[in-house]
Amino acid sequence: MTKITTSTFLNHKMNHEKITVLTAYDYSMASLLDEAGIECLLVGDSLGMTMLGYEDTLAVTMEDMIHHTKAVKRGAKFAMVVADMPFMSYHVSDEEAVRNAARFIKEAGAHAIKLEGGFNVKTRIEAIIAAQIPVMGHLGLTPQSVNAFGGFKVQGKSKVQAKKLIEEAKLLESLGCFAIVLECIPAKLAQLISSQLSIPTIGIGAGSGCDGQVLVIQDLLGMYSDLSPKFVKPYANLKPIIIDAAKAYASEVKSGDFPEEKHTFKIDESVLDKLY
Ligand code: KIV
């Protein structure tokens, strides 16, 4: 398999080949998803919820993101690694945004960054792209705006909201973003936006008209049940499997059935004798 780059994204769009993206937050999962041929691993700030147990993504720090991005990068041989810029890492100034974006490339080995927003982040995106760092945009239900939106709600349902989303998608394309995540917007609007852009859209809760799809890996594997949005399709149900395995382990530890002799190391009897 060849390494996936931003050019692969654009070629897939031209060739009408759908792009596969999943979130990953650690080495072992990244290795498995890479082996499965997933083209892009997004180190989403959703790790605040799935990995760190927060209610939303707002408390996630740059250090959290760098730590997890490094781990994912070690597991990704072919997949492109995109790191999510956390809340307040790009909100204060263009300079701070570039400095933080650069940390993902220099310290963590990411290939690109993702940030949320449209008109409000125009100069941030310009500055990051001017520093030669590829940017994936993110429009619609941008979770870092959860308080401004008044909750996790579908976006773009009114004419005003829908027109703004179309304009923002075109703006992100004109600024040089290589792809745009469209989250939780009506399927027909996502299809319209996708048809008007030459860069790919990656949908989550935005229907099949997008050029690719992304899901949170814990949702796909049926491991995270704090939230269960309508757009999630679990492809496995690991929660009961993990709980049953942990229960079986606990019961064998209690009974003394684990570890068995095959799980233990030997010592020469003559050495042992000298210890008494
Ligand atoms: O943080 C995240 O995982 C994301 C995806 C859901 C798009 O932004």
Side-chain angles (χ1 to χ4, degrees):
M1 222 176 109
T2 47
K3 279 191 180 270
I4 307 296
T5 66
T6 53
S7 307
T8 320
F9 270 62
L10 298 174
N11 287 337
H12 279 9
K13 168 92 182 185
M14 278 190 310
N15 299 330
H16 306 288
E17 180 176 344
K18 299 276 186 183
I19 300 163
T20 54
V21 185
L22 283 173
T23 67
Y25 316 107
D26 62 54
Y27 168 77
S28 54
M29 187 63 78
S31 310
L32 294 174
L33 302 182
D34 191 76
E35 194 175 326
I38 298 301
E39 292 164 314
C40 175
L41 301 181
L42 171 65
V43 190
D45 63 353
S46 51
L47 66 80
M49 299 160 87
T50 57
M51 296 280 108
L52 304 177
Y54 298 137
E55 270 180 19
D56 53 42
T57 60
L58 301 180
V60 175
T61 64
M62 273 301 293
E63 301 318 313
D64 293 332
M65 293 304 302
I66 294 276
H67 175 75
H68 285 275
T69 305
K70 281 181 176 173
V72 168
K73 179 62 193 319
R74 288 182 208 114
K77 289 196 180 67
F78 305 106
M80 181 170 172
V81 175
V82 178
D84 222 355
M85 296 197 66
F87 182 56
M88 289 315 287
S89 68
Y90 55 98
H91 299 73
V92 175
S93 69
D94 292 350
E95 288 73 17
E96 194 166 78
V98 174
R99 239 176 249 122
N100 281 326
R103 286 191 64 196
F104 283 114
I105 311 297
K106 288 183 73 142
E107 291 176 39
H111 303 109
I113 61 93
K114 174 171 86 56
L115 55 75
E116 299 181 2
F119 298 126
N120 58 326
V121 290
K122 177 176 180 285
T123 63
R124 306 293 191 263
I125 294 176
E126 277 171 338
I128 295 169
I129 291 178
Q132 308 302 313
I133 300 170
V135 175
M136 177 182 269
H138 187 162
L139 295 172
L141 171 50
T142 43
Q144 291 172 14
S145 307
V146 60
N147 290 328
F149 289 151
F152 293 109
K153 294 178 183 159
V154 178
Q155 300 295 306
K157 284 187 128 178
S158 71
K159 185 175 159 196
V160 173
Q161 276 189 353
K163 276 189 124 181
K164 184 172 175 229
L165 278 176
I166 296 171
E167 283 166 18
E168 288 190 313
K170 288 184 177 167
L171 171 73
L172 296 194
E173 171 172 69
S174 74
L175 295 177
C177 288
F178 72 94
I180 304 175
V181 169
L182 296 178
E183 179 161 354
C184 252
I185 67 171
K188 287 200 170 153
L189 175 61
Q191 188 170 25
L192 183 65
I193 293 173
S194 305
S195 72
Q196 295 192 0
L197 299 181
S198 55
I199 57 169
T201 58
I202 308 295
I204 175 161
S208 62
C210 294
D211 304 299
Q213 296 293 324
V214 58
L215 277 180
V216 167
I217 187 63
Q218 276 74 9
D219 290 340
L220 178 144
L221 296 176
M223 289 171 67
Y224 178 81
S225 46
D226 293 8
L227 276 182
S228 46
K230 174 181 174 180
F231 56 77
V232 165
K233 178 173 177 185
Y235 285 80
N237 189 14
L238 293 197
K239 184 176 169 177
I241 295 175
I242 293 171
I243 292 173
D244 285 350
K247 280 184 178 166
Y249 162 77
S251 137
E252 290 199 359
V253 170
K254 296 274 187 199
S255 68
D257 289 339
F258 176 81
E260 296 164 46
E261 200 171 335
K262 65 183 176 192
H263 304 121
T264 59
F265 303 98
K266 296 201 183 329
I267 186 170
D268 204 279
E269 288 297 326
S270 63
V271 176
L272 200 57
D273 286 346
K274 288 185 194 125
L275 300 178
Y276 291 108

